[in-house]
Amino acid sequence: MASAAVLMVAGCGKKGDTPDKDSPGGPSFKMTYSVFFPPTHVQAKLAKEWAEEIKARSGGRLKITVFAGGALTKAEQCYQGVVDGISDIGMSAFAYTRGRFPLLEGLDLPLGYPDGMSATRIVNALTAKYNPPETKDVKVLYVHAHGPGVVASKRPVENLADLKGLKVRATGFCSKVVESLGGSPVSMPQGETYEALQKGVVDATFCPVETLKGWKQGEVINCLTDSRCIGYTTSFFVVMNLQKWESLPDDLRKIVEDVSADWVVKHGEAWNEADREGLQFITERKCNILPLPPQEQALWVEKVKPLLQEYAAKAAGNGLPGEAFLGDLKAAVAEACAQEAQKK
């Protein structure tokens, strides 16, 4: 039965290989879209709205069915699933397949991203600018990113000493951040973190504030450390199977690209709003929000600096423009931070 189910799912993923009956506006197509976020999460809802907008603008010629919650492919399988045609489109995190994206993993560095909108604009722009070989096996539609990742824990973390030896959920490059700060990283998908915190498998998680409500993790933590000084992000791709992209006529490609450009802003706004809601959620639950004094912030920033240098050197060793990419990234984050400071 399991094998039959897999074949049925794979068959669904291949359905868009040939166009459906022609409509008055031209040939029509059906595609599948794998999203790892749960259906109730705002990012999954945005994926569905994106598909609906494409259907509307195309006059029904391009119909996209969204499979949320990893129903079609799990988070770490999503990208390869798009390459292999298990799904026609996919949304997941670059970080979930560590080592596969040697240049773009730099997007997740702990540079102090100020908010989700800034992070989304930055990661989308740099991915488009560098268009690295590591993503040439798909069509990248757009990239978005959450607000600054901070420490959420079951017991107070007010300094580096409190982090020493602490079991911290961290994925992808963030695992190195935890190590550099003296913690003990435990890798797992976001969907497994609630239970891991609840059962004591981990003592803390590095996460954007939105997860505390969006993934309900605020129910199983007691403290939030304002470690935005090293705020990292996680970059999420939205990619299409290359053959499916090439099968679309020019007018449908333009619609997909236009809607995707609009959705970059929508995702950024949603990440910011989700962070606000997450903060309100834990405030109402009376979680302790712990600031880092300036001298402690300086220590944290100093601890993660070698990671930036290591990234650039490793990328260069692989023949990639790591230094240039990092330079652009630092400049963009610094500009975004300055803009945010002016608003206050």
Side-chain angles (χ1 to χ4, degrees), residues 133-155:
E134 61 212 54
T135 57
K136 291 295 177 64
D137 48 2
V138 296
K139 168 62 179 177
V140 178
L141 299 178
Y142 64 96
V143 185
H144 59 98
H146 65 58
V150 292
V151 180
S153 55
K154 301 182 77 169
R155 60 177 187 263

Side-chain angles (χ1 to χ4, degrees), residues 57-100:
R57 293 196 199 180
S58 68
R61 290 174 54 212
L62 180 49
K63 299 176 183 178
I64 299 168
T65 303
V66 176
F67 293 83
L72 202 52
T73 50
K74 294 180 180 179
E76 66 275 18
Q77 300 167 334
C78 185
Y79 188 92
Q80 187 61 42
V82 172
V83 174
D84 293 339
I86 296 173
S87 70
D88 302 314
I89 307 164
M91 180 196 293
S92 189
F94 288 119
Y96 285 158
T97 44
R98 191 171 176 180
R100 182 165 188 161

Side-chain angles (χ1 to χ4, degrees), residues 9-340:
V9 169
C12 289
K14 296 288 186 181
K15 191 170 183 180
D17 281 334
T18 56
D20 286 352
K21 291 181 181 179
D22 289 0
S23 69
S28 59
F29 299 79
K30 290 182 179 180
M31 293 191 181
T32 56
Y33 186 179
S34 178
V35 178
F36 87 100
F37 288 104
T40 55
H41 196 286
V42 64
Q43 300 300 332
K45 292 178 181 178
L46 278 173
K48 188 173 181 181
E49 291 170 11
W50 175 84
E52 290 170 349
E53 183 67 13
I54 288 174
K55 179 182 176 182
R57 293 196 199 180
S58 68
R61 290 174 54 212
L62 180 49
K63 299 176 183 178
I64 299 168
T65 303
V66 176
F67 293 83
L72 202 52
T73 50
K74 294 180 180 179
E76 66 275 18
Q77 300 167 334
C78 185
Y79 188 92
Q80 187 61 42
V82 172
V83 174
D84 293 339
I86 296 173
S87 70
D88 302 314
I89 307 164
M91 180 196 293
S92 189
F94 288 119
Y96 285 158
T97 44
R98 191 171 176 180
R100 182 165 188 161
F101 306 100
L103 188 68
L104 294 181
E105 73 176 21
L107 297 172
D108 296 355
L109 288 167
L111 292 168
Y113 285 96
D115 65 283
M117 175 60 84
S118 299
T120 292
R121 290 188 185 279
I122 290 168
V123 302
N124 191 68
L126 281 182
T127 301
K129 176 180 178 178
Y130 282 85
N131 189 24
E134 61 212 54
T135 57
K136 291 295 177 64
D137 48 2
V138 296
K139 168 62 179 177
V140 178
L141 299 178
Y142 64 96
V143 185
H144 59 98
H146 65 58
V150 292
V151 180
S153 55
K154 301 182 77 169
R155 60 177 187 263
V157 175
E158 300 181 84
N159 49 50
L160 288 175
D162 291 335
L163 259 178
K164 190 171 179 61
L166 203 68
K167 292 180 293 183
V168 184
R169 180 266 177 190
T171 298
F173 198 89
C174 189
S175 297
K176 293 185 177 182
V177 177
V178 172
E179 288 177 347
S180 71
L181 297 173
S184 178
V186 180
S187 181
M188 68 182 67
Q190 197 66 263
E192 298 175 13
T193 307
Y194 182 101
E195 186 176 1
L197 285 163
Q198 187 179 47
K199 294 184 176 180
V201 175
V202 294
D203 309 302
T205 176
F206 252 107
C207 64
V209 179
E210 69 86 18
T211 63
L212 302 179
K213 181 180 181 182
W215 295 83
K216 302 186 185 300
Q217 293 167 15
E219 296 176 356
V220 287
I221 60 102
N222 301 310
C223 305
L224 180 71
T225 303
D226 185 357
S227 54
R228 285 176 295 172
C229 57
I230 59 161
Y232 71 94
T233 193
T234 299
S235 308
F236 302 95
F237 57 76
V238 179
V239 298
M240 184 182 288
N241 177 276
L242 198 56
Q243 288 71 38
K244 296 299 176 64
W245 174 254
E246 291 171 348
S247 75
L248 293 177
D250 290 345
D251 63 328
L252 290 185
R253 289 190 197 180
K254 185 176 188 309
I255 288 170
V256 172
E257 290 180 329
D258 288 349
V259 174
S260 295
D262 292 345
W263 253 245
V264 170
V265 177
K266 290 180 180 291
H267 281 280
E269 291 173 342
W271 282 120
N272 278 5
E273 179 58 28
D275 273 354
R276 285 190 287 269
E277 291 178 1
L279 186 60
Q280 182 180 352
F281 182 71
I282 62 169
T283 299
E284 291 171 353
R285 293 185 61 82
K286 302 190 184 306
C287 289
N288 292 324
I289 300 176
L290 308 169
L292 286 179
Q295 62 270 27
E296 190 69 24
Q297 290 184 38
L299 290 174
W300 288 47
V301 169
E302 196 62 31
K303 284 288 186 180
V304 301
K305 273 185 180 179
L307 296 180
L308 313 186
Q309 299 160 356
E310 178 186 322
Y311 159 77
K314 183 178 177 182
N318 289 324
L320 298 168
E323 284 287 355
F325 189 88
L326 181 58
D328 283 349
L329 187 55
K330 283 181 175 180
V333 171
E335 182 180 356
C337 288
Q339 291 173 350
E340 283 301 305

